């Protein structure tokens, strides 16, 4: 495997595409890792109401927005991506929790 190139060091589109594919693979690996924690989270929750935690969503979005700004990434892009991902994960948790059933008091 070759050493990753910085964007400015790419001399042609083939090199750009190789680096985009490398980054996509890394992103996918990290999303898969994040998913493993979400998968564990629903198992620790007791009911479907725990799938949505507004203060935590706000905390994550604020962190993502700030980090995007620090990294020179349009924060609107980062926030849109994370809102989509969080929404999917919440739906996933709700479905898993609903299948498991509400706890009996």
């Amino acid at each position: 495997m070759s050493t990753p190139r910085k964007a400015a060091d790419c001399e042609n589109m083939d090199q750009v595409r190789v680096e985009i594919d490398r980054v996509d693979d890394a992103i996918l690996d990290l999303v898969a890792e994040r998913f493993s924690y979400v998968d564990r989270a629903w198992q620790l929750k007791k009911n479907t109401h725990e799938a949505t935690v507004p203060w935590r969503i706000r905390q994550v979005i604020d962190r993502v927005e700030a980090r995007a700004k620090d990294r020179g990434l349009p924060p609107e892009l980062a926030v849109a991506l994370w809102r989509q991902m969080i929404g999917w994960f919440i739906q996933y948790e709700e479905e898993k929790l609903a299948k498991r059933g509400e706890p009996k008091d």
Side-chain angles (χ1 to χ4, degrees), residues 26-102:
I27 291 168
L28 187 57
D29 291 346
L30 289 171
V31 172
E33 182 180 357
R34 191 182 198 286
F35 174 76
S36 73
Y37 291 103
V38 170
D39 200 39
R40 179 62 180 141
W42 80 261
Q43 296 169 29
L44 298 171
K45 295 177 180 181
K46 297 186 179 9
N47 60 58
T48 57
H49 304 294
E50 292 182 80
T52 303
V53 183
W55 68 265
R56 177 61 179 152
I57 295 168
R58 181 79 259 150
Q59 183 183 55
V60 170
I61 294 299
D62 289 348
R63 283 186 73 244
V64 164
E65 185 174 31
R67 186 162 173 89
K69 288 176 184 175
D70 288 346
R71 298 293 306 229
L73 178 69
E76 302 83 5
L77 171 61
V79 168
L81 290 170
W82 257 257
R83 285 195 183 282
Q84 181 70 29
M85 185 169 50
I86 289 168
W88 192 96
F89 286 144
I90 288 170
Q91 182 178 346
Y92 175 82
E93 284 189 17
E94 287 173 342
E95 289 172 6
K96 289 291 193 177
L97 288 161
K99 283 181 185 175
R100 183 175 68 193
E102 298 291 327

Side-chain angles (χ1 to χ4, degrees), residues 14-37:
D14 287 339
Q15 291 176 347
V16 169
R17 289 182 180 116
V18 164
E19 297 309 321
I20 287 173
D21 290 347
R22 178 186 58 76
V23 171
D24 285 349
D25 289 348
I27 291 168
L28 187 57
D29 291 346
L30 289 171
V31 172
E33 182 180 357
R34 191 182 198 286
F35 174 76
S36 73
Y37 291 103

